[in-house]
Amino acid sequence: MAIWTHQSETLKETYREHFLADLIAHQDEENQAVVCEDGDTAVGFMSLRSEVNLSLLQECFELRLFHGLCKPHPEDVLNMPQQPSTQEDEDLSKQTSQETESVSSTNAEAIQDQDAAVQKDGAITPSHADLLVDDVKDLKASATLLETKEQGAFRPVYRGASNAFCIQLFYIDEKHETRSLDFLPYVFKLFPDKDFCVILVPHHVPEPHLLRSFVRVVPSFTSRLSHELYVFHRAALIKSFNVRKATTNDLLGVKMLLKTLTLKESILNDFRIFTLARKDPDGIPVQTFVAEVLDQIVGISVIRDEMDIEYIRSHYNIEDFISFNHYQHEEHGHLYCFALNPIFHHYAKHFLKEILRLAHKSCLYYPVYPQHVEGKLQNPCAHSLTSALHYMVPVRPRRQIVYPLEELGINAPSEQVSKDQLSYSLNHINQKLLLDSRVSLNSRIVVVGASDVGISFLETLIFCPHLKFNNLTLISIHGLPGKDLPGSKHRRFLINSHCFNDEDYAQMSLCSWVKVVVGKMTSINRPAKYVVVSKEIKVPYDYLVLCTGQKYQVLSPTGADISKLPTNREVLSNWPQRYTGKVPFNHFTLNDDQDCLKALQWLKENAVSSEGNIIVYGNTIDIYTTVETLLSLGINGSRIHLVQPPLSSSLTCLNNSEIESAIQEALSEAGVAVHCDSILAEWSPGEDPGLITNAAFTTATQPFKLQCSAFFSFAYKAVDYETFKAINDACLVFDGSLVIDSKFRTNDGSIRAAGPLTKYSRRYCADGWTHSNFNSKEIGFELATSMLDLLDPTLKPFSKPAEGTERLLPVYKGCKVKGGVLPGGYNYLHISKPETPIHLDLETAMCDHGMEIVTGEASRGDYFRMHLNKDSMVESITCFAKEPFPVSNYICLYGQHEQLLNDLCYRWNDGQITDLYSYFREPWSMAIYHDRFIDLKKELRQILGSEQVVGLPTAAKSTPEDLTEQSPCPPQLREPILRYLRRHRYHLPMYSPVEPAATGPSPAAVQAGRD
């Protein structure tokens, strides 16, 4: 057969030379071979088998949806026996049903759900996207949906006979691929007693056209099969799929469709509102549509007009998908719910198309709210929109300007733009997107560690609009971050990198796309390609990404006998070392929000209202944020002892003597005792061996001993021991850190790594440069980009890099940020370029240091320092103030030319600037904080580089006064600027987009664009 010619070698290697002849020759009732002809030429071939290994498939895939691919039997065990522990879930379900009093409450309380509220060690949380086919109970009764209560580890027991046959081998000529579905009516006739057709496809194989009509089955986390399972039901051959507006006569059919769904009451409530008033209580029009097959309702959807479209436009990059100005306001719709029987899942796109057509809409929006919202359903199995979510695209949020509303007055943006609203993840679909198909990638990508690098990596993959990753898994000790209430006090324990905040996590909704395995990686099996979590769960992977970073470790006391009056000189050879014994209950190493929350709860129960010293040990900046948090809890400063070990270099964590002096003064006023150059010698347990009651330290002179009620250790940061052991036992090269190349690859091509866990190979001769020197969010983005180069089938093959370039390290330009609240209630922020840090005094003494602009004093709490390099670009910013300040705005200042900052140097030298805080609150600066300002700069730079701009003076020969007094901005530059202001009028109303007769941006500012 000619269709096999170019596949023959691969097939010979996989099977044997004459396997095709054997398949055709050995046909019987259980084994069939089918061809598809065009004229007299075979263009397609399918080999079928009635025997299916159901026990293996039931073990490796979530087949409850399909009744385990078995026929119903009276002795089937389908539901887990009720136990008292499920009462909480039942109460939650009842509470949700009782609270659905309006369409608006339905949206917020019934449809939007996230991770399970409680995750235990080793627990597995499915993503919403994986629940795509997990809401149906019996496909043969095509209008019933599976109850969405969390079943945990329970697996149903099926006693019935097999109800499925499988496709062993399938091939069709590329020219006839769109006719693949023509096989199915015939093959179902060959197996009249079977209702399901299944096929296994390797993870790395792109989905063929045939599978667009199949339903992908969710694999279990421990699946040992390197294949994806797809299922097709006999009833899906029915072509009469009709969508229409619902009527009152459809109530019984809708009840049958939703009878086992937990959210049935809320959806039925929406249905009744539509049939009675056609409006919700706020007067917003509501529309309901049903899908019918042979006069039986198999789907329902409720939508309303989107009334918050200005907020969506200003807070999400919706214009990546639509030209907003080309749409009327009434063309935007809000999707409340979407329930479709999964055997007709391949009609979901058609269902959405018909909804848009019948409702006269051009696009739909669907929000997913964060899990910490009170009153919202937390169970991830209660998501009613998973079928539609498969076709929707997540919309990336936009960075928002922090407006000084009082200073702007009437020039502030409208309330619809600036209002403080609950953040959510936005999903979108429009007519154009329904005509395109997102490329599904089934490669199993497992990320270890919910660090900033790992989250940035997942974020980049999720927001690829043309790709859908079906098998993203995160292994993390505490699951996904961002699950706590915003503004929780325990978050102040640690310094903030400002890579992600609560709003960012809410707007990403990672739990909608990423499976989460809660636990710690304990080993890696490279030959079998799986990771062992908590010594129990095996998580298979195709690509493994390690982003665990470094963590504070429990520091072992040196064991010095203080009765012999030892000094630091005698014990330094044994310090620092990791503690290997049982960690006392009152010893805390804080590495993430959950660690901080546990410490806070313990302090409230055991330390806040009692007596006893609290020792904070270390010399990182986290010691100061922790001391301030302890003081804010009401703990008297006299009970807090700040013990600092010797520094490994002259560089301090703050690297600013003026700020350090202000902090020392604040500590002294609070009564906090500070002990410098002290090494932990021993801690003494009391009556309870699990508690530290005393801690002894050696110094350069004589040792001292402190009573201890709680001990916070920030003295030793390294790769976690269990992580190191897993890496080392897997024979990955570890040289103090995990060794990688410039493309994030380890010595195993399927294992990538990034972040502080790693270091570059010695062949790069760059031991001083590691990922800890760079912005973690940028590192994660570049890591994802390198993976996309490998996985994205839409990318064109790129030529090999020039010889020798493989030894060049990548260049990262993003700024490093750290901020927090320090003792005395000072708000601290430091923004700097990626670099190996050096002492500030040495830096300022360099001949090419540039210029420093400093206003205020640290002791007064109004200190603002800005460093401009020799090219007049902002290179670092340090803020130290009593009053809060807009951190996200100040991050935008990094890398800007001083002339873009309203001729900053000229105004500073002229004495016009006395307070940089108020200077950067002035209305002129708002455009710089806008997220699209970088696009304007690029456009102006292209214009300046591509043509001779008439009327632009040479800045090198002119003073700022001369530039201001000369002709206005040249027309070639004026038009893009005015177009930019008009386009973003909703964000920048303080600017006039109307071109006046003789005004415009100063030529000096235009010259800054050239620079």
Side-chain angles (χ1 to χ4, degrees), residues 544-546 738 740 744 746 751-755 757-758 771 783:
L544 180 64
V545 180
L546 303 177
L738 180 58
I740 59 171
F744 306 96
T746 64
I751 300 180
R752 309 294 173 100
L757 167 70
T758 65
H771 286 175
L783 173 61

Side-chain angles (χ1 to χ4, degrees), residues 129-158:
D130 279 348
L131 296 169
L132 169 69
V133 293
D134 206 17
D135 291 344
V136 174
K137 185 176 183 179
D138 182 6
L139 289 180
K140 198 164 185 178
S142 61
T144 60
L145 299 176
L146 177 68
E147 59 183 84
T148 56
K149 294 179 182 179
E150 178 66 63
Q151 297 291 334
F154 170 75
R155 288 189 178 276
V157 178
Y158 305 100

Side-chain angles (χ1 to χ4, degrees), residues 702-916:
Q702 58 183 4
F704 64 93
K705 191 173 184 179
L706 296 173
Q707 184 276 333
C708 179
S709 295
F711 192 99
F712 288 83
S713 180
F714 300 98
Y716 182 42
K717 200 168 192 178
V719 176
D720 180 76
Y721 176 74
E722 289 185 321
T723 301
F724 159 73
K725 190 174 186 304
I727 292 171
N728 191 62
D729 291 348
C731 296
L732 296 175
V733 179
F734 194 93
D735 181 15
S737 298
L738 180 58
V739 176
I740 59 171
D741 64 8
S742 59
K743 298 294 184 182
F744 306 96
R745 294 172 296 206
T746 64
N747 56 302
D748 186 326
S750 60
I751 300 180
R752 309 294 173 100
L757 167 70
T758 65
K759 64 174 292 187
Y760 288 117
S761 173
R762 290 181 182 268
R763 71 174 183 267
Y764 294 104
C765 301
D767 290 345
W769 287 95
T770 66
H771 286 175
S772 58
N773 298 115
F774 307 117
N775 183 291
S776 295
K777 192 171 184 179
E778 185 180 14
I779 293 289
F781 173 80
E782 294 298 335
L783 173 61
T785 302
S786 69
M787 290 292 291
L788 288 174
D789 292 339
L790 182 67
L791 298 173
D792 190 350
T794 64
L795 292 179
K796 294 181 180 179
F798 50 88
S799 58
K800 289 185 177 181
E803 186 176 354
T805 57
E806 68 276 0
R807 297 211 171 188
L808 296 178
L809 292 178
V811 177
Y812 300 107
K813 299 181 179 179
C815 59
K816 287 275 292 181
V817 183
K818 57 182 179 181
V821 183
L822 304 184
Y826 293 106
N827 295 280
Y828 172 76
L829 173 69
H830 182 65
I831 304 169
S832 62
K833 70 176 182 179
E835 62 179 352
T836 302
I838 60 175
H839 200 283
L840 183 61
D841 294 337
L842 296 177
E843 182 183 343
T844 55
M846 293 181 178
C847 58
D848 59 349
H849 175 64
M851 175 182 180
E852 287 192 4
I853 299 177
V854 180
T855 63
E857 296 179 5
S859 58
R860 294 204 311 259
D862 60 352
Y863 178 83
F864 196 122
R865 172 184 174 271
M866 177 175 282
H867 170 223
L868 307 175
N869 63 17
K870 61 180 181 179
D871 298 319
S872 299
M873 310 290 284
V874 178
E875 197 165 83
S876 70
I877 297 173
T878 304
C879 299
F880 189 78
K882 283 284 189 180
E883 298 296 326
F885 43 76
V887 174
S888 59
N889 285 2
Y890 292 167
I891 293 176
C892 298
L893 299 176
Y894 173 80
Q896 303 289 0
H897 194 278
E898 61 88 11
Q899 288 184 328
L900 277 178
L901 306 182
N902 208 12
D903 285 331
L904 176 65
C905 291
Y906 167 72
R907 295 178 186 275
W908 168 255
N909 293 328
D910 196 42
Q912 299 180 29
I913 301 175
T914 57
D915 181 13
L916 285 173

Side-chain angles (χ1 to χ4, degrees), residues 899 903 906 953-966 1004:
Q899 288 184 328
D903 285 331
Y906 167 72
T954 303
K957 299 180 180 180
S958 306
T959 63
E961 299 96 323
D962 297 332
L963 294 172
T964 305
E965 293 172 359
Q966 294 185 34

